Amino acid sequence: MDRDDTTLRVLSTSDLAGLDITLADVVDTVEQAYRTLAAGQSDNPRKLTVKPADGHSVSYAMLGRDGAREVVAIKTSYKHGLGESRDKQHYYTTLTIYDDVTGLPVAMMDCSRIGSLRTPAVSALLARECAAPGATTALVIGTGTQGRLALPFLLTTLPDLERLLLSGTHPDGTAAVRAELARHFPDRDIELVTDLDRAARDADVIVATAGAHTPAAIEAENLKPGATAILVGHGLAPSTLHRADRVVATSEAQMRVTGTDMADAEGNFPPVDLELPVIISGVSKARTTPEQRIFAYNSGLVVTDIALGHRFAQLAAEQKLGTEVALWR
């Protein structure tokens, strides 16, 4: 990526939408970011958060360094109108990347597509590492952005899945899930479930991606022996965490900050047995017996956004996408 020190490549939402990237490429990129972090080669400091007293907005700033790609990046996230319906909210997220070898800027980009790919890729990695041997049935709760890509990514890391179950209440969302699955796996289809508790008792892997106002809340007693329950949004009751045989998180610290709705009556959490980077590194295994019920909490780590954002920047440079802005001239 030939550059000088006065210009910055800006990648818009439409620039990134036109980039083709395989699901396997996304998974591999995210997995490498975890391996590098576990090896102590990357830095992922705790995010900074600002939220006004009335709670109408929330802002985050995240700084990190990817030691394998040798880049430094800053991610910002701002959401306004938290008390409003989704169509009235404003949400902006950006990622700015710098080359830590040359010292030159790489790109600044809209980070929404990166997040929409990174999160289901992490869920798929959690499923691969935590699922019991012989897992054949997956249940996804929710048909929003994360729900629509959950099944294609699960099939990427767990290709032996046979039954694909979906719980959703919005016809447009259900249609979008089917369309996304058909785009990546045209020979596969979903079973739309109406009895969520029964579906949960059948599922080896559950990925809960529903929104905050969902009535869905699977309880621990409806998880079969050996089940893996992955929380991304909502759809799992706190009992699935507190009665789990093993607890896995991408980051225990982040779970305690962002997963407060899963705390017990005293505001406490059970200890996390393992974090995903350690599992990915091969040092420890998520599961020690086939019968264990595992709860896994998926929260973002900025090093994964950095790795995937840098991959997008590489692809964009190859295709000469984006706008060169003379920001420092």
Side-chain angles (χ1 to χ4, degrees):
M1 289 181 276
D2 294 333
R3 333 196 33 80
D4 60 38
D5 60 358
T6 65
T7 62
L8 179 68
R9 183 189 300 273
V10 176
L11 298 171
S12 67
T13 303
S14 56
D15 290 328
L16 297 175
L19 288 175
D20 287 329
I21 186 168
T22 66
L23 302 184
D25 193 349
V26 174
V27 170
D28 289 346
T29 301
V30 171
E31 183 172 3
Q32 183 189 41
Y34 281 129
R35 290 186 187 278
T36 308
L37 180 63
Q41 299 171 13
S42 294
D43 297 295
N44 193 101
R46 182 174 296 185
K47 67 173 67 173
L48 298 176
T49 306
V50 174
K51 192 171 186 178
D54 64 2
H56 74 269
S57 70
V58 64
S59 310
Y60 301 106
M62 292 148 276
L63 171 68
R65 184 181 188 279
D66 185 311
R69 292 175 176 270
E70 296 189 284
V71 295
V72 172
I74 301 169
K75 178 183 177 181
T76 64
S77 177
Y78 172 68
K79 182 177 284 189
H80 182 277
L82 297 184
E84 305 288 340
S85 60
R86 183 173 294 181
D87 62 316
K88 295 182 180 179
Q89 293 180 356
H90 298 279
Y91 178 60
Y92 309 96
T93 178
T94 62
L95 183 71
T96 307
I97 306 173
Y98 301 90
D99 188 318
D100 202 28
V101 175
T102 65
L104 298 179
V106 175
M108 178 180 182
M109 65 192 70
D110 168 44
C111 203
S112 55
R113 189 181 178 203
I114 293 166
S116 71
L117 291 171
R118 176 261 293 157
T119 303
V122 173
S123 293
L125 286 168
L126 284 165
R128 187 192 72 189
E129 298 298 328
C130 297
T136 60
T137 302
L139 166 64
V140 171
I141 304 169
T143 60
T145 300
Q146 295 305 319
R148 294 171 190 181
L149 279 168
L151 289 171
F153 272 104
L154 283 175
L155 287 171
T156 301
T157 60
L158 292 173
D160 292 333
L161 288 174
E162 297 172 1
R163 294 183 66 198
L164 307 177
L165 311 180
L166 176 68
S167 173
T169 58
H170 300 286
D172 290 345
T174 301
V177 172
R178 291 187 188 278
E180 199 66 41
L181 182 63
R183 186 162 75 90
H184 296 284
F185 294 91
D187 59 332
R188 303 302 299 270
D189 200 2
I190 61 170
E191 300 176 36
L192 192 61
V193 302
T194 54
D195 187 335
L196 182 57
D197 289 342
R198 181 177 177 179
R201 289 191 289 269
D202 289 340
D204 299 296
V205 176
I206 300 171
V207 181
T209 74
H213 302 296
T214 182
I218 293 173
E219 297 285 353
E221 58 263 26
N222 289 316
L223 299 180
K224 66 190 290 189
T228 295
I230 301 168
L231 185 62
V232 182
H234 299 269
L236 298 177
S239 63
T240 57
L241 166 61
H242 293 274
R243 292 169 54 186
D245 299 306
R246 299 273 282 176
V247 177
V248 172
T250 48
S251 165
E252 182 173 11
Q254 283 195 15
M255 185 180 81
R256 294 180 180 278
V257 172
T258 62
T260 53
D261 57 323
M262 297 296 284
D264 64 16
E266 287 74 41
N268 297 319
F269 292 85
V272 168
D273 293 289
L274 287 170
E275 292 185 331
L276 183 58
V278 175
I279 300 170
I280 292 291
S281 73
V283 171
S284 299
K285 292 187 178 296
R287 178 180 295 278
T288 57
T289 70
E291 298 79 18
Q292 288 172 328
R293 294 180 178 90
I294 295 181
F295 175 92
Y297 189 80
N298 179 351
S299 59
L301 294 181
V302 74
V303 289
T304 58
D305 295 285
I306 293 171
L308 195 54
H310 187 252
R311 180 71 182 122
F312 269 98
Q314 290 174 318
L315 294 171
E318 291 171 5
Q319 298 178 35
K320 296 183 170 31
L321 295 175
T323 303
E324 296 288 343
V325 178
L327 189 62
W328 298 285
R329 186 176 300 168

